[in-house]
Structures are given as structure tokens and as C-alpha cells.
């Protein structure tokens, strides 16, 4: 049951093939079996089971649970269950599955699932712990494109608690079955062919472009000339907004507070030193440097101007007749842990966002769709980028592509035993080496 799509599970629930409580217990059981992955730091077993019981009651009578985060409440209103809190840093640097520079699309590509970043303003950010207010968008991770559209249909729409959301009513995202792509124009950004791109991902990218071409679509090379500046631009804007957002955690109103009582200034400093990890502290320090009075014009304002140029690059491409852009999502497949820790995480993370963060600065929708397994047996995903608020068109194209490539669905239950034993063996080998 856990390997099915949302629509299949929903149908099974309605037909009485399984109850919400039984489904919840299956999920909790899988979480316990995969405890060695350290994916969850909190498992809300009692809460989830209670919600499952309430879900069963909702099949008999309606119930609307009062929760503050708009995206959470919308999901709960439709009968979704919240299983717990996954393993992230203390602020998740954009929680609730949000996407600020690729935080849903990158893991989706590495895990063989669909990762959707909706258009900025289509989904409410109310209740989201802010990282970069002007780029944060609650993202969606699902097994298939249809499921992503289903969830987006629940979450999308105006929210009076978030002034950045669209004012116009949003219709449900029911995706048609596209059979003819001959009227589509697919753009291939030449600036995304970077030296760091692995040959295997490059080959799959080229194969995908040829697939569209063979089915009658027009595939053309396009230019996004300011792409090379996007990483630096993103760094300045991201850290500047992080510094501003994190200023509220001073130990006075809420959150962690140290025991030092020498002075207010000492309490401030100690609280923030104890409460923030190295990544958060580093971003705060960098951001405060960029928004200092003497640096503001040379860094923050210039970065805002470059952001406008990057956004205009996309506008110009789409105005030229391109419907959707096709790019890699990541530079390569997922890197093995022992290789991953050899490089500074900050540097690796910055490099990993090279194909994804420009979309956030432009406020466009983008989705990562799994295409194939690499020679190492690891998933590789490709990214589709659409026009602002043309999320349905984007997902329709992505659904067609998904159907053509027939990516093998990864069944966790089948590999759990092997995965657990391999993990334990790896730990043993690491211990021996130390």
C-alpha cells in the first residue's frame, strides 16, 4: 500500500480496502524499520494515530482541525496525516518541505521521486519558518506527477494571512493526458552545460531532448546569459535575508535563552552562539556584512539588480515562444557518504544548487522528474521550468515525460533487509578504519 500513488491510496480508503489507522500503522512501522537512516528526529506516533482515528470519523462526519500553518491546515482538512519531524537543522533553513534554492528538487532527483517548486505566490507561506522571504515556496515531494498536481490543487490559492499569495481564484490542477507534443517548444539553456556536469547526467539530458524531438516537439538551444552570476547573487541575497530573519531569535520573546545574566548584551551573544549551529551562524555573519551601511549599495543593491537581470533572461526566453525549459536538476547522482564528507558541505551545497536556485530568484515553477538509474544504480532526475503561474502546463509536460521514460518505482520494503545490513557493515568498516 505504501508504494501506491495518492489517488490509489485514496481510492483504497474510500472502498474500505484499508482504514486510515491501518495505513498510519504501516507508515509508522516503515519509519521504525528505517530508523538506521536517521531520517526522523521526532516520530509523532500518538498524534498520527489520533489523527488517523479522526480521519476515520471524517468519513462519517466532517471535521476541520485548527492548525496555524496554512499549507498544513489545508492538507489536514483533506485528511492527510503528519507522521513527524524529519532530520534537519534547527531552523531547517526553510522548513515544511520548502524550496528556497532547490531544497525539494535536489533531494527528489537523488531519491527517484517527483519534486515540485510551485510559482512564487501560488502557495501560502504563512506558518513557514522563513529563510529568504522573497524566494521561499512550500514544495511538494511525491511518487508521481499526478500526485504532485493533486497536492498542489489542495495547497494553491489566496491566503488572507499571506499578502504575497495570488488574489485570483485557483482552479483544481487536473492534468490532461497529453498525447501530441508537436506544438510544444522545448528550450535547452546552453549556459547549463557546465564543466562540473557529469557525463552520465549530460547524456541523459541529451537523450531527453531527443525524445521530445522524436515525438515532434520543437527543441531549440536558448541563452540565459546571466546564469554565471546567479550563485554569487543568490549567496548575497540569501544570507542578507537570513540575517534579517534570524534577528528575532534574541532570547527575550521566545526560543532558547542562555543562563548568563552579566548583561543584556552578553545574554544576547551567548544565546545566539548556543542556539545557532555553524551553518546558521555563518549565514548570519555573512548577511550582516552585506547589509552594513557601508556595504549595502555595493552588495545587496547590486545583487538585487542582478536578480532582475536573471529574471528578465527567463522572461525573454519564454517571450520568444519557448513553452518549457529542460535542464539537469543536479550535477551528478547522489554522492556516497564517505566521498561526501571529504568536501566542505557549504561548498558542495552551493555547487549543488547551480541548476535550481535561479528559478527561485525569478519566481518560476519548476519540477524535477526521475528519468533513469545511473550505472551505480542511483536515480537521476531532470528539471522542467515553466512560465510564472503556468504550473498546470508545466506539470502536463512533466507527466508526458514521466510516462515515456517509465522510471522504475523504488520499493523500500523489498530492499529494507539488504539496506540495513549494508549500513551496519559500512559502520563496522568505518569503525575499523578509525
Amino acid at each position: 500500500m505504501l508504494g501506491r500513488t495518492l489517488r490509489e491510496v485514496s481510492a483504497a480508503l474510500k472502498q474500505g480496502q484499508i482504514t486510515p489507522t491501518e495505513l498510519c500503522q504501516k507508515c509508522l512501522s516503515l519509519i521504525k524499520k528505517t530508523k538506521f537512516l536517521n531520517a526522523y528526529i521526532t516520530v509523532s506516533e500518538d498524534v498520527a494515530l489520533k489523527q488517523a482515528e479522526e480521519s476515520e470519523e471524517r468519513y462519517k462526519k466532517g471535521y476541520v482541525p485548527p492548525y496555524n500553518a496554512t499549507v498544513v491546515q489545508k492538507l489536514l482538512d483533506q485528511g492527510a496525516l503528519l507522521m513527524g519531524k524529519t532530520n534537519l537543522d534547527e531552523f531547517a533553513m526553510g522548513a515544511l518541505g520548502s524550496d528556497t534554492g532547490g531544497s525539494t528538487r535536489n533531494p527528489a532527483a537523488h531519491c527517484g521521486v517527483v519534486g515540485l517548486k510551485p510559482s512564487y505566490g501560488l502557495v501560502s507561506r504563512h506558518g513557514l519558518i522563513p529563510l529568504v522571504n522573497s524566494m521561499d515556496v512550500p514544495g511538494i515531494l511525491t511518487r508521481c506527477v499526478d500526485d504532485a498536481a493533486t497536492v498542489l490543487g489542495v495547497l494553491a490559492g489566496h491566503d488572507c494571512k499571506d499578502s504575497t499569495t495570488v488574489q485570483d481564484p485557483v482552479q483544481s490542477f487536473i492534468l490532461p493526458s497529453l498525447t501530441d507534443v508537436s506544438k510544444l517548444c522545448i528550450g535547452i539553456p546552453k549556459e547549463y552545460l557546465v564543466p562540473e556536469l557529469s557525463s552520465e547526467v549530460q547524456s541523459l539530458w541529451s537523450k531527453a531532448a531527443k525524445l521530445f524531438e522524436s515525438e515532434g516537439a520543437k527543441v531549440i538551444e536558448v541563452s540565459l546569459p546571466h546564469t554565471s552570476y546567479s550563485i554569487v547573487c543568490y549567496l548575497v541575497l540569501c544570507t542578507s535575508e537570513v540575517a534579517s530573519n534570524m534577528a528575532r531569535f534574541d532570547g527575550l520573546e521566545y526560543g532558547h535563552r542562555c543562563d548568563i545574566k552579566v548583561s543584556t548584551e552578553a545574554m544576547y551573544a551567548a544565546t545566539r552562539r548556543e542556539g545557532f549551529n555553524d551553518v546558521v551562524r555563518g549565514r548570519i555573519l555573512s548577511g550582516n556584512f552585506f547589509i552594513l551601511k557601508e556595504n549595502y549599495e555595493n552588495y545587496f543593491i547590486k545583487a538585487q539588480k542582478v536578480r532582475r537581470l536573471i529574471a528578465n533572461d527567463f522572461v525573454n526566453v519564454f517571450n520568444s515562444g519557448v513553452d518549457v525549459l529542460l535542464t539537469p536538476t543536479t550535477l551528478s547522482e547522489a554522492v556516497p557518504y564517505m566521498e561526501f564528507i571529504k568536501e566542505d558541505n557549504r561548498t558542495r551545497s552551493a555547487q549543488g544548487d547551480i541548476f535550481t536556485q535561479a528559478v527561485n530568484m525569478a519566481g518560476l515553477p519548476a519540477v524535477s522528474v526521475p528519468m533513469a538509474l545511473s550505472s551505480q544504480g542511483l536515480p537521476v532526475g531532470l528539471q522542467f521550468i515553466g512560465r510564472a503561474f503556468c504550473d498546470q502546463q508545466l506539470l502536463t509536460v512533466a507527466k508526458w515525460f514521466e510516462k515515456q521514460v517509465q522510471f522504475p518505482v523504488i520499493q523500500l520494503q523489498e530492499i529494507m533487509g539488504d539496506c540495513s545490513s549494508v549500513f551496519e557493515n559500512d559502520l563496522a568498516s568505518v569503525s575499523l578504519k578509525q
Side-chain angles (χ1 to χ4, degrees):
M1 186 62 69
L2 297 183
R4 298 186 184 182
T5 66
L6 288 177
R7 290 185 179 182
E8 291 170 343
V9 171
S10 179
L13 288 167
K14 291 176 181 178
Q15 294 168 10
Q17 297 176 12
I18 190 171
T19 67
T21 300
E22 290 171 343
L23 181 60
C24 180
Q25 289 171 338
K26 286 180 179 291
C27 291
L28 290 169
S29 176
L30 181 59
I31 291 172
K32 291 176 182 177
K33 289 179 180 178
T34 56
K35 186 178 180 180
F36 64 89
L37 293 175
N38 200 29
Y40 279 81
I41 56 172
T42 302
V43 180
S44 308
E45 182 169 354
D46 293 338
V47 174
L49 288 171
K50 183 180 178 182
Q51 290 174 344
E53 292 175 5
E54 293 171 350
S55 180
E56 291 185 29
E57 289 298 317
R58 282 196 295 272
Y59 278 96
K60 304 173 183 177
K61 58 181 181 180
Y63 173 70
V64 179
Y67 286 84
N68 57 352
T70 300
V71 289
V72 172
Q73 183 168 339
K74 285 186 172 183
L75 288 171
L76 289 172
D77 290 349
Q78 296 297 318
L81 309 181
L82 302 182
M83 303 308 299
K85 184 190 298 181
T86 50
N87 194 358
L88 303 164
D89 64 58
E90 64 266 39
F91 297 103
M93 284 285 99
L96 278 180
S98 65
D99 191 313
T100 307
S103 300
T104 54
R105 287 163 287 158
N106 283 347
H110 287 321
C111 296
V113 296
V114 173
L116 171 64
K117 174 224 169 282
S119 295
Y120 184 85
L122 187 61
V123 177
S124 173
R125 293 183 299 110
H126 175 71
L128 191 75
I129 298 176
L131 172 61
V132 182
N133 303 61
S134 63
M135 301 183 203
D136 293 340
V137 178
I140 299 167
L141 291 166
T142 57
R143 283 185 174 272
C144 66
V145 175
D146 262 329
D147 280 357
T150 299
V151 176
L152 181 60
V154 172
L155 301 183
H158 178 66
D159 179 15
C160 62
K161 298 176 181 178
D162 181 1
S163 61
T164 65
T165 51
V166 291
Q167 297 291 327
D168 298 331
V170 178
Q171 298 179 348
S172 60
F173 290 85
I174 300 176
L175 304 182
S177 295
L178 187 65
T179 56
D180 182 12
V181 295
S182 61
K183 295 181 181 180
L184 285 178
C185 181
I186 308 296
I188 309 295
K190 63 181 182 181
E191 288 81 6
Y192 282 45
L193 184 58
V194 295
E196 297 85 0
L197 182 65
S198 74
S199 58
E200 196 162 14
V201 174
Q202 182 180 339
S203 175
L204 289 172
W205 183 22
S206 177
K207 184 178 178 181
K210 291 177 181 177
L211 171 62
F212 277 98
E213 202 166 32
S214 66
E215 294 296 324
K218 182 180 180 181
V219 179
I220 62 173
E221 182 183 82
V222 297
S223 178
L224 300 170
H226 295 94
T227 297
S228 60
Y229 307 110
S230 62
I231 288 289
V232 176
C233 177
Y234 175 80
L235 174 66
V236 173
L237 297 178
C238 173
T239 55
S240 297
E241 291 200 41
V242 167
S244 176
N245 283 324
M246 294 296 108
R248 72 192 72 183
F249 296 100
D250 55 12
L252 293 180
E253 292 86 2
Y254 49 82
H256 173 72
R257 182 173 185 170
C258 76
D259 296 328
I260 295 178
K261 300 178 181 178
V262 177
S263 67
T264 303
E265 289 76 12
M267 187 274 290
Y268 280 163
T271 294
R272 292 170 70 79
R273 183 177 64 252
E274 293 175 5
F276 298 144
N277 70 13
D278 291 341
V279 173
V280 180
R281 287 203 299 268
R283 289 180 173 180
I284 291 173
L285 289 170
S286 299
N288 279 324
F289 174 82
F290 294 139
I291 58 180
L292 285 172
K293 183 178 180 180
E294 59 267 32
N295 296 331
Y296 188 76
E297 290 284 341
N298 289 331
Y299 289 96
F300 187 76
I301 296 300
K302 281 187 177 179
Q304 289 283 35
K305 292 178 179 178
V306 173
R307 178 180 183 177
R308 173 54 57 192
L309 294 174
I310 291 170
N312 286 341
D313 286 346
F314 285 104
V315 171
N316 293 335
V317 165
F318 287 124
N319 285 343
S320 71
V322 171
D323 296 301
V324 172
L325 293 173
L326 171 63
T327 78
T329 306
T330 56
L331 289 167
S332 66
E333 61 196 11
V335 179
Y337 176 74
M338 296 306 295
E339 183 179 337
F340 180 86
I341 60 177
K342 291 178 182 178
E343 189 174 6
D344 174 62
N345 186 47
R346 190 174 304 174
T347 302
R348 184 179 291 280
S349 297
Q351 293 173 343
D353 290 342
I354 189 170
F355 302 129
T356 54
Q357 42 75 30
V359 170
N360 293 77
M361 289 195 282
L364 303 176
V367 60
S368 178
V369 180
M371 179 178 179
L373 295 176
S374 69
S375 57
Q376 299 298 314
L378 296 173
V380 175
L382 295 181
Q383 177 180 230
F384 293 90
I385 304 171
R387 303 168 185 260
F389 298 107
C390 290
D391 299 57
Q392 185 171 24
Q393 180 194 39
L394 172 71
L395 290 172
T396 300
V397 175
K399 179 182 177 180
W400 178 89
F401 178 76
E402 177 186 60
K403 184 178 180 181
Q404 301 303 309
V405 298
Q406 291 290 307
F407 180 81
V409 176
I410 299 174
Q411 299 291 351
L412 277 178
Q413 292 91 335
E414 296 177 3
I415 62 173
M416 198 48 55
D418 293 338
C419 191
S420 179
S421 62
V422 168
F423 185 81
E424 291 172 358
N425 290 337
D426 285 347
L427 284 182
S429 64
V430 171
S431 300
L432 288 172
K433 289 177 182 177
Q434 291 176 339

